[in-house]
Amino acid sequence: MKIVVIGGSGLIGSKLVDGLAGQGHEAVPASPKTGVNTLTGEGVADVLTGADVVVDVSNSPSFEDKAVLEFFETSTRTLLAAASDAAVSHYVALSIVGCDRIPDSGYMRAKVAQEKLIVGSGTPYSIVHATQFFEFLQGIIDAGTDGDTVHLAPVLIQPMAADDVAAAVAEAVVAAPTNAVVEVAGPEQFRLDELGRSMLAARQDPRSVVADPDARYFGAKLGERSLVPADGARIAGTRLDDWRARMAGGR
């Protein structure tokens, strides 16, 4: 199949392109770096010509509420229109576990808006909801830092490796459209504050972590299960210690 990966130069996109190409597909990375801009429409129609599947794993360059909403709505409308014109038979998008449960986050509201456009488009689709990536945990810690102290809510989190996220998206890409959402998550649950302490200890980072029920998650208030999947989610295989060992080995 010809599979166009929007955001194909990013963390998940590059892994996805490599994985699909390894399966014998024509996996085409598409991003501003390759001359494809889903905000302006530049290059979109051309890259989708002859495509069987389009996969959107792109991300907004700005997380400011208005900008991120504009990015996902404009980009998704552009892609859906071009996919319809090109008779693309499957639209796959990567989204976030819990995005519909954190309404005071502008980013999460933007992802929900993106999904609504896909669902209402009439194009056969599959949406993959993934939990937070191990690779992004340091960013969560940094966002909660005030001086030498990190404020993290003691809520559940079930993170996963980016390699496993890419594998889950690839599985959706080569399967028939589900016209539904599938959730994927890592094999272990943690308390966010405990995980923060573990991450800092592993890096010999002197900051201390405070379990703060009122701590914000990129501006949003979290509930006990805001960041974990519902029953029936697909569980990835990479444990945190496995990922750490892999990263230490440079892989």
Side-chain angles (χ1 to χ4, degrees):
M1 293 189 294
K2 178 182 177 182
I3 301 164
V4 176
V5 181
I6 306 297
S9 303
L11 174 64
I12 302 301
S14 58
K15 294 177 183 294
L16 184 59
V17 167
D18 289 345
L20 291 169
Q23 296 178 37
H25 300 289
E26 181 188 356
V28 182
S31 70
K33 291 181 180 180
T34 68
V36 177
N37 190 318
T38 56
L39 293 181
T40 65
E42 178 189 1
V44 175
D46 288 343
V47 79
L48 288 186
T49 299
D52 300 288
V53 185
V54 59
V55 193
D56 187 2
V57 294
S58 63
N59 204 359
S60 173
S62 170
F63 285 8
E64 187 273 325
D65 285 4
K66 182 179 179 181
V68 73
L69 180 63
E70 181 178 349
F71 173 85
F72 281 115
E73 288 191 329
T74 301
S75 176
T76 303
R77 288 192 178 104
T78 298
L79 284 171
L80 286 168
S84 177
D85 290 344
V88 172
S89 59
H90 191 185
Y91 193 107
V92 180
L94 175 62
S95 192
I96 306 168
V97 164
C99 62
D100 55 343
R101 301 195 297 269
I102 313 177
D104 53 341
S105 163
Y107 188 89
M108 298 298 188
R109 291 196 301 270
K111 293 300 288 183
V112 170
Q114 176 193 27
E115 293 183 25
K116 286 182 179 178
L117 289 170
I118 295 168
V119 171
S121 70
T123 298
Y125 70 91
S126 301
I127 297 173
V128 178
H129 275 191
T131 55
Q132 286 66 30
F133 310 164
F134 292 141
E135 288 81 356
F136 290 167
L137 294 177
Q138 192 64 41
I140 295 173
I141 292 169
D142 292 344
T145 296
D146 182 9
D148 294 328
T149 304
V150 183
H151 291 260
L152 297 174
V155 299
L156 293 172
I157 186 170
Q158 197 169 334
M160 62 189 296
D163 283 342
D164 290 341
V165 176
V169 175
E171 184 177 339
V173 167
V174 300
T178 61
N179 294 318
V181 172
V182 60
E183 291 190 323
V184 294
E188 302 167 291
Q189 281 192 358
F190 307 90
R191 292 286 172 182
L192 181 56
D193 60 311
E194 294 171 353
L195 181 58
R197 291 188 192 94
S198 173
M199 294 292 293
L200 291 179
R203 293 173 175 262
Q204 298 182 321
D205 189 315
R207 285 178 289 179
S208 61
V209 174
V210 173
D212 181 354
D214 295 322
R216 296 283 166 160
Y217 180 82
F218 299 104
K221 176 75 171 177
L222 293 177
E224 170 74 356
R225 298 188 60 83
S226 296
L227 302 178
V228 296
D231 293 342
R234 298 182 185 178
I235 303 302
T238 306
R239 301 170 69 88
L240 179 59
D241 286 346
D242 300 332
W243 176 79
R244 283 175 170 158
R246 186 187 303 164
M247 293 300 103
R251 294 182 295 113

